Amino acid sequence: MSPKRRLRQRQNIPGWVSEGTRIHDPLKRRTGIVQFIGEFEDPKTRVVIQNAVFARPEGGGVEWVVEDPSRLERS
């Protein structure tokens, strides 16, 4: 039997953010392009984020999950 997933409320994402948008993540101090917005389960805590923002540096690189999408800035 697999461990039960713990749900978390949807994150607040600014209306201007969508796939393909160039963003600046002030918490990570990184700039990138939104690749996907959807469900993410943190492998360490098993917490499910229902509205996670995945971003990747422009031109390629390692993708990251934005911790607080409400603080994203236009880039």
Side-chain angles (χ1 to χ4, degrees), residues 8-75:
R8 185 164 113 175
Q9 289 184 333
R10 293 175 64 92
Q11 295 188 34
N12 292 324
I13 300 175
W16 57 268
V17 175
S18 62
E19 293 176 9
T21 303
R22 190 165 195 263
I23 52 98
H24 176 71
D25 182 347
L27 295 178
K28 298 260 185 174
R29 297 183 179 146
R30 298 179 75 181
T31 299
I33 307 295
V34 175
Q35 300 296 307
F36 177 71
I37 299 173
E39 186 175 282
F40 168 71
E41 181 177 347
D42 187 317
K44 294 178 185 173
T45 64
R46 309 293 289 181
V47 171
V48 175
I49 301 170
Q50 295 180 337
N51 210 16
V53 175
F54 296 78
R56 179 176 297 143
E58 191 169 11
V62 178
E63 187 174 76
W64 77 95
V65 177
V66 175
E67 291 178 28
D68 184 359
S70 68
R71 298 182 69 179
L72 287 174
E73 300 169 354
R74 294 177 195 256
S75 177

